[in-house]
Amino acid sequence: MDYFNAFWVGGLICALVQILLDRTKLMPGRVMVLLVCSGVVLSAVGLYQPLTDYAGAGASVPLLGFGQVLWKGMKKAIDKDGFIGLFTGGFTACAVGVSAALIFSYIASLVCKPKMRE
């Protein structure tokens, strides 16, 4: 049942985002920022953690989950370091994911030999 819940919640999030992209004139970059900020806000008010407990990776993998990771890192750092944690917590929390994305994209560029468009 865990797989089913992850599938339908993740699919619902993706479908809603696709509808948002198709029905509005928002550019994909703005929608991505909207999703991350929404994840932070939903985490701050305590609504996103129950969803991730229910759906697992279906809720934590989309960009809303990245916002939740940023919120958790900032909250932990603020509790530990005070005001300066507001600036350091998000970077500490997302460092592994960002580093992995950079490393794997570099490896993919070596394997695929990308070329500039003309």
Side-chain angles (χ1 to χ4, degrees):
M1 200 62 180
D2 291 338
Y3 294 121
F4 178 74
N5 291 337
F7 179 78
W8 81 262
V9 170
L12 180 65
I13 292 169
C14 293
L16 291 173
V17 170
Q18 189 63 48
I19 291 169
L20 183 67
L21 285 168
D22 291 344
R23 300 281 184 209
T24 66
K25 293 183 180 182
L26 291 173
M27 300 299 290
R30 291 182 187 221
V31 173
M32 289 179 9
V33 169
L34 179 69
L35 288 169
V36 173
C37 292
S38 297
V40 170
V41 170
L42 290 172
S43 296
V45 297
L47 295 176
Y48 205 73
Q49 187 59 45
L51 183 63
T52 56
D53 292 341
Y54 175 75
S60 63
V61 171
L63 283 172
L64 291 167
F66 185 67
Q68 182 191 26
V69 168
L70 291 175
W71 169 255
K72 283 182 175 180
M74 286 175 47
K75 186 175 180 204
K76 182 178 175 183
I78 290 170
D79 292 341
K80 180 182 172 198
D81 300 327
F83 181 73
I84 196 72
L86 183 66
F87 303 103
T88 62
F91 291 118
T92 304
C94 72
V96 172
V98 172
S99 298
L102 289 171
I103 291 167
F104 290 126
S105 62
Y106 178 71
I107 292 170
S109 73
L110 293 175
V111 172
C112 296
K113 306 248 189 246
K115 296 181 176 91
M116 297 295 290
R117 290 186 181 186
E118 294 179 16

